[in-house]
Amino acid sequence: MTPATDDDWFEIAVRVRYAETDGMGFLHHANHAVYLELARTEYFRSRGGDYRAMEESGRFLVVVSLQTKYLKPARYDDLVRVRVRVARLSAAKLEHEYELLRGDERLATARTVLACIDGDGVVQPMPGYVRQPRAADD
Amino acid sequence: MTPATDDDWFEIAVRVRYAETDGMGFLHHANHAVYLELARTEYFRSRGGDYRAMEESGRFLVVVSLQTKYLKPARYDDLVRVRVRVARLSAAKLEHEYELLRGDERLATARTVLACIDGDGVVQPMPGYVRQPRAADD
Amino acid sequence: MTPATDDDWFEIAVRVRYAETDGMGFLHHANHAVYLELARTEYFRSRGGDYRAMEESGRFLVVVSLQTKYLKPARYDDLVRVRVRVARLSAAKLEHEYELLRGDERLATARTVLACIDGDGVVQPMPGYVRQPRAADD
Amino acid sequence: MTPATDDDWFEIAVRVRYAETDGMGFLHHANHAVYLELARTEYFRSRGGDYRAMEESGRFLVVVSLQTKYLKPARYDDLVRVRVRVARLSAAKLEHEYELLRGDERLATARTVLACIDGDGVVQPMPGYVRQPRAADD
């Protein structure tokens, strides 16, 4: 596996909403998972995927594991850069890593593992259109 | 229609979550609608209803109108009393009114109108088990 | 007061997040208040306002009343147009009206009234920079 | 360090709200962090702590790391048991572990690390009243 470079990252910008802040005036830590999901979805869209259509065809991507390290708080109205890339892809699992930044300052890093299930919750092989450009590496 | 009395109210207590507060340290105003829904659901349950089972049978109650007046802010960790009663019930619509209180202090008042739809979004008559004890008044 | 025209509207687009949908697959109705707030904030920014700076200077805009009519559900991944305009502005209160649309289809209409308070919750005159172009009409 | 037993767990029950579910009808995975926080707060209260008073005195507990493994989905109206215990406590950090259960079925496990900061975001020693009964073990 070649070391990842800056070119691997896909990035979106998300402005922190008032409703997402907490009594400290910070982005509440539960919302980071929502931001990761937004980045993942747009990343998928940018590669020709359509997650809504995927669900309508009876395949769902579910988060089976999430890790987040919070380095600095994001505040109301901050424009947060959320970067995502595929860290690992196998027949059954899709692992992403993420960085949240404000300008060049890193606010958080995260990692998720997704599995694919059908409408009955049974694990399915990852659809071909998810397993794209970057080759599976395990 | 007999004037409503204190006995008409059904009440739950909801503790304000940290994640629900905003940068002012107040319960964010969008969350009041969630509290109203909680009170409505528990009210329905207290009268023998089961909203999950209702949905599984293909009938959904949807909010078609919401009005809220915010009088005083609720704060993190406040135990908010949410009172609900049926204000009006017809074949097609169910109207509730609400009060949010902290002790005896009124924090907000609200009113919602619900309609019943099927899985295709077509409006249905309000199911018999919704139209209970209190008689329809229009 | 001259009748409002299409030119009065300020508009943003908000994509419905997965986390904002509910078991029906619809944008949960509590989230509309968040969308209204986003539109209001961007509208304020477009006119040179900076709500974060305003709060840092000790003035807060709080919602004292909210009315929403839900016409059609928004769904996951829909790009919702949120239009806002000032309906009424006095020394003490700022009233907005809103429309949520998907393409040309109206999903919801809403109205909010805001007041200005200081850090102790005491009502203050609406700051000059809020009371802009459009003249006060009551 | 003595091996943990069932007696170490503090437990609360949280009913899954409609607003917390997503298009799959499951508790959206971002909300687990909110449930963990609720359990942590009530655990703290059960030992005589008062997190709101702690904040008012200028000390804040912030999440610096979160790990969640999602085993099975929780659904709307499920009464989820959230168990928490202290896994590790040092002068600077407080680590909790969690289990989410529906009846005896494990839905998720999680782990958080908290630090204590002052109003300027500077890390502070964990207050004495946080470092309670159970002795520090590192």
Side-chain angles (χ1 to χ4, degrees):
Chain A
M1 181 179 164
T2 330
T5 71
D6 249 29
D7 300 341
D8 294 323
W9 292 108
F10 173 82
E11 183 176 317
I12 62 167
V14 185
R15 194 176 288 279
V16 176
R17 300 174 173 184
Y18 206 76
E20 293 170 340
T21 57
D22 58 25
M24 279 185 281
F26 300 159
L27 175 64
H28 187 270
H29 72 279
N31 292 312
H32 290 64
V34 176
Y35 284 27
L36 305 181
E37 186 172 61
L38 292 178
R40 216 159 53 223
T41 306
E42 293 308 319
Y43 182 32
F44 190 43
R45 196 192 313 275
S46 75
R47 295 165 74 171
D50 177 341
Y51 186 65
R52 181 157 74 173
M54 183 177 163
E55 284 213 344
E56 285 163 5
S57 78
R59 288 291 179 276
F60 304 82
L61 292 176
V62 291
V63 177
V64 296
S65 157
L66 165 69
Q67 284 181 50
T68 311
K69 287 189 197 303
Y70 302 91
L71 309 173
K72 300 202 171 170
R75 292 173 184 278
Y76 167 59
D77 211 44
D78 280 348
L79 197 59
V80 176
R81 302 167 53 200
V82 189
R83 306 169 81 184
V84 57
R85 65 182 167 199
V86 173
R88 188 172 284 268
L89 175 56
S90 68
K93 288 190 177 164
L94 176 54
E95 192 170 335
H96 291 95
E97 55 185 349
Y98 310 82
E99 287 185 354
L100 277 74
L101 303 110
R102 179 178 44 217
D104 291 332
E105 187 181 22
R106 261 197 334 176
L107 305 178
T109 60
R111 188 167 278 258
T112 56
V113 179
L114 307 187
C116 182
I117 60 170
D118 63 17
D120 299 319
V122 179
V123 176
Q124 299 294 322
M126 203 55 75
Y129 48 89
V130 171
R131 317 178 54 181
Q132 285 182 26
R134 230 179 123 115
D137 51 46
D138 64 358
Chain B
M1 182 179 162
T2 330
T5 70
D6 248 31
D7 299 342
D8 293 324
W9 291 108
F10 173 82
E11 184 175 318
I12 61 166
V14 186
R15 193 176 289 281
V16 175
R17 299 174 174 184
Y18 205 77
E20 292 170 342
T21 58
D22 57 26
M24 279 185 283
F26 300 159
L27 175 64
H28 187 269
H29 71 279
N31 292 311
H32 291 64
V34 176
Y35 284 28
L36 305 181
E37 185 171 61
L38 292 177
R40 216 158 54 224
T41 305
E42 293 308 320
Y43 181 33
F44 190 43
R45 198 193 312 276
S46 76
R47 294 166 74 170
D50 177 340
Y51 186 66
R52 180 156 73 173
M54 183 177 163
E55 284 213 344
E56 285 164 4
S57 78
R59 286 293 178 276
F60 303 82
L61 292 175
V62 292
V63 178
V64 295
S65 157
L66 165 70
Q67 283 181 50
T68 310
K69 288 189 197 303
Y70 303 90
L71 309 173
K72 300 201 171 170
R75 292 174 183 279
Y76 167 60
D77 212 44
D78 278 349
L79 198 59
V80 176
R81 301 167 53 200
V82 188
R83 306 168 82 185
V84 57
R85 66 182 167 198
V86 173
R88 188 173 285 268
L89 174 57
S90 68
K93 289 193 176 162
L94 176 55
E95 192 170 334
H96 290 95
E97 55 186 348
Y98 309 83
E99 287 184 355
L100 277 74
L101 304 109
R102 180 179 42 218
D104 291 331
E105 187 181 22
R106 261 199 331 178
L107 305 179
T109 60
R111 188 168 278 258
T112 56
V113 179
L114 306 188
C116 181
I117 60 169
D118 64 15
D120 298 320
V122 179
V123 175
Q124 300 294 321
M126 205 54 74
Y129 47 88
V130 171
R131 316 179 54 183
Q132 282 181 27
R134 229 181 126 114
D137 52 46
D138 64 1
Chain C
M1 182 180 163
T2 330
T5 69
D6 249 30
D7 299 342
D8 294 323
W9 293 108
F10 173 81
E11 183 175 319
I12 61 166
V14 186
R15 194 176 288 281
V16 176
R17 300 174 173 183
Y18 206 76
E20 292 170 342
T21 57
D22 57 24
M24 280 186 282
F26 299 158
L27 176 64
H28 187 270
H29 72 279
N31 291 311
H32 290 64
V34 176
Y35 283 28
L36 305 181
E37 185 171 60
L38 292 177
R40 217 159 52 224
T41 306
E42 294 307 320
Y43 182 34
F44 190 44
R45 197 192 313 275
S46 76
R47 293 165 76 171
D50 177 341
Y51 187 66
R52 181 158 71 172
M54 183 177 163
E55 284 214 343
E56 285 163 5
S57 78
R59 287 293 178 274
F60 303 82
L61 292 175
V62 292
V63 178
V64 295
S65 156
L66 164 70
Q67 285 180 51
T68 311
K69 288 190 196 305
Y70 302 92
L71 309 173
K72 299 201 172 171
R75 292 172 184 278
Y76 167 59
D77 211 43
D78 279 348
L79 197 61
V80 176
R81 301 167 53 201
V82 189
R83 304 169 82 185
V84 58
R85 66 181 167 200
V86 173
R88 188 173 284 269
L89 174 58
S90 68
K93 288 192 178 163
L94 176 54
E95 191 170 335
H96 290 95
E97 56 186 347
Y98 310 83
E99 288 185 353
L100 277 73
L101 304 110
R102 179 178 44 215
D104 292 331
E105 187 181 23
R106 259 197 334 177
L107 305 179
T109 61
R111 188 168 278 257
T112 56
V113 179
L114 306 188
C116 181
I117 59 170
D118 64 16
D120 298 319
V122 179
V123 175
Q124 299 295 322
M126 203 57 72
Y129 47 89
V130 171
R131 316 178 57 183
Q132 285 182 25
R134 232 180 123 113
D137 51 49
D138 66 359
Chain D
M1 183 181 160
T2 331
T5 69
D6 249 30
D7 300 341
D8 293 322
W9 292 107
F10 173 80
E11 183 175 319
I12 61 167
V14 185
R15 194 175 290 279
V16 176
R17 299 173 173 185
Y18 205 76
E20 293 171 340
T21 58
D22 58 25
M24 280 186 282
F26 299 158
L27 175 64
H28 187 270
H29 71 278
N31 291 311
H32 291 64
V34 177
Y35 284 27
L36 305 181
E37 185 172 59
L38 292 177
R40 216 159 54 224
T41 305
E42 294 307 320
Y43 181 34
F44 189 44
R45 197 192 312 276
S46 76
R47 294 166 74 171
D50 178 341
Y51 186 66
R52 181 157 71 171
M54 182 176 164
E55 284 213 344
E56 285 163 4
S57 78
R59 288 292 178 276
F60 303 83
L61 293 176
V62 291
V63 178
V64 295
S65 156
L66 164 70
Q67 284 180 51
T68 311
K69 288 189 196 304
Y70 302 91
L71 309 173
K72 300 201 172 171
R75 292 173 183 278
Y76 167 60
D77 211 44
D78 279 348
L79 198 59
V80 176
R81 301 167 54 200
V82 188
R83 306 168 81 183
V84 57
R85 65 181 167 199
V86 173
R88 188 172 286 267
L89 175 55
S90 68
K93 289 193 175 162
L94 176 54
E95 190 170 336
H96 290 95
E97 55 187 349
Y98 310 83
E99 287 184 354
L100 278 73
L101 303 110
R102 178 176 45 215
D104 291 332
E105 187 181 23
R106 262 202 326 181
L107 304 179
T109 60
R111 188 167 279 256
T112 56
V113 180
L114 306 189
C116 182
I117 59 170
D118 64 16
D120 299 319
V122 179
V123 175
Q124 300 295 321
M126 203 56 75
Y129 47 89
V130 171
R131 317 178 55 181
Q132 283 181 27
R134 230 179 124 113
D137 51 49
D138 64 358

